[in-house]
Amino acid sequence: MDSKGFSKKIADLRGMIDGTYVPPPRPSFDHRNSALYGGLARASLHCQAVELLPGLELRRSYAYVFAPAMVAFAPPPAPRSAHPAPWHAADGGGIAETVEVEVFLAADARPFALDRLDTVRCVASLIRLLGGAPVCMPILSSQPFNAVPNSKLDTTILSLETVPNWSGRSVSITPDFVERLRHFLGSASVLLQDDDVFRAFSLADGMWWLPSWTAQMLALWTAAETLMRPGRTSVGAKLADSIRSYLGLNRSDGDRLYNEVTRLYFSRGSAAHAGRTPVAADMDASYRIVRGILLRCFADGQRPPERTDIVPLWK
């Protein structure tokens, strides 16, 4: 580094301390037309790369996303300056996620009728739904992650999804998983244009970021009501009857589901009106039921029929 460059570095550091530093403009990143690379954490891919739809791929990759929680003990001397030392790391704080799968959307590719950024988000959401686990997409890049270290181009890496509040197993994206994901992507891109399906899907998908079991329970059963439309009277009984017919594999399984939904909807009422925290088993059972409704909805390519029009699977 020459003396001029060194002097600029010193001046920049002084500016950061006193709050006068003006960072250079960031490179432009037009996600409407540029290639997108979304980093999936808590998932693994069975092969090096696989095409989901034209211009949309999953690829093996690697990136480690981390942000330690730090504590400063004095206010900054100026609004834009740094907090003065000392700083201290907070034990148990911060985030750390390992990205092993890259969702690639080619420049100008629009595989279905969604915004390009929503297309990438939709892939993550459907992997969460199919896997039944809190897979997340913490970062979005303007270049492949494995190309960033040696690239001579300006790279933009954006924070996308915050890390979910709940831990869970990693989802293995196998050939069978990929086939189901392909089908669900086409179906979801159409069904999510229905406002009710979109709201229900968003509630069920967003459950992983809610701070308590009570909030999760309310979100899940609100999603179920939105999809199954039980009306305003005898909601629990009508909801149980609809789900019995919609998800039951046979008459016996349908009767079991009816009793299960009745019990869980009572637990939901206790959480909403009596402040009782649901138990873990009830949360898990509620998620599996709502997940089952969404999976059948996307598999069929249509929202659930009205309660009186549902034909049980065993008939």
Side-chain angles (χ1 to χ4, degrees):
M1 182 185 297
D2 58 23
S3 59
K4 185 176 180 180
F6 182 76
S7 296
K8 184 178 184 310
K9 287 285 186 183
I10 295 297
D12 286 347
L13 288 171
R14 287 173 175 165
M16 291 176 192
I17 293 171
D18 62 25
T20 61
Y21 174 72
V22 177
R26 296 186 60 82
S28 61
F29 182 21
D30 180 11
H31 63 77
R32 294 169 298 179
N33 299 295
S34 302
L36 302 180
Y37 303 85
L40 275 180
R42 310 184 186 189
S44 61
L45 185 61
H46 73 283
C47 60
Q48 283 300 123
V50 62
E51 184 180 71
L52 298 177
L53 294 167
L56 181 63
E57 298 178 13
L58 296 180
R59 300 172 174 177
R60 277 189 189 168
S61 190
Y62 184 85
Y64 186 66
V65 184
F66 61 98
M70 300 295 294
V71 183
F73 301 93
R80 295 179 59 186
S81 63
H83 288 77
W87 294 0
H88 196 286
D91 292 340
I95 64 162
E97 290 290 339
T98 301
V99 166
E100 294 185 295
V101 180
E102 182 176 273
V103 180
F104 166 64
L105 183 63
D108 299 322
R110 287 176 173 77
F112 37 65
L114 287 176
D115 174 88
R116 283 169 48 77
L117 187 55
D118 286 342
T119 296
V120 174
R121 288 179 182 273
C122 187
V123 173
S125 295
L126 286 174
I127 290 175
R128 274 192 290 273
L129 180 69
L130 284 167
V135 172
C136 64
M137 186 178 282
I139 50 175
L140 182 76
S141 175
S142 61
Q143 291 196 70
F145 297 111
N146 60 10
V148 171
N150 300 312
S151 177
K152 295 182 180 179
L153 301 175
D154 289 327
T155 302
T156 299
I157 298 179
L158 305 175
S159 295
L160 196 60
E161 293 180 342
T162 58
V163 175
N165 294 320
W166 308 93
S167 60
R169 59 179 175 79
S170 176
V171 171
S172 178
I173 303 176
T174 62
D176 178 64
F177 192 104
V178 169
E179 285 305 311
R180 286 183 291 147
L181 181 57
R182 284 192 183 115
H183 173 75
F184 277 48
L185 278 166
S187 176
S189 69
V190 176
L191 283 175
L192 291 176
Q193 296 180 57
D194 180 306
D195 288 343
D196 285 343
V197 176
F198 178 80
R199 279 192 291 268
F201 182 63
S202 297
L203 281 168
D205 186 50
M207 176 207 74
W208 298 108
W209 283 269
L210 294 176
S212 68
W213 284 344
T214 297
Q216 285 190 319
M217 179 70 92
L218 296 178
L220 286 171
W221 286 104
T222 300
E225 290 177 39
T226 302
L227 289 167
M228 306 308 295
R229 294 158 289 172
R232 297 188 178 184
T233 60
S234 303
V235 175
K238 290 178 181 176
L239 197 56
D241 187 51
S242 295
I243 294 174
R244 170 185 180 272
S245 299
Y246 194 65
L247 294 185
L249 300 176
N250 51 51
R251 190 178 298 277
S252 175
D253 186 50
D255 291 344
R256 179 195 62 80
L257 271 170
Y258 182 94
N259 293 330
E260 181 81 333
V261 172
T262 300
R263 182 183 67 81
L264 291 170
Y265 198 75
F266 179 80
S267 175
R268 174 259 178 214
S270 296
H273 306 299
R276 296 178 183 171
T277 300
V279 298
D282 286 354
M283 272 305 314
D284 181 62
S286 296
Y287 177 71
R288 283 187 282 109
I289 287 171
V290 176
R291 175 174 174 261
I293 296 171
L294 284 166
L295 288 175
R296 179 172 176 190
C297 177
F298 290 138
D300 290 350
Q302 61 182 5
R303 64 176 300 171
E306 296 284 350
R307 183 172 63 93
T308 53
D309 296 330
I310 297 175
V311 178
L313 294 174
W314 62 87
K315 289 187 179 180

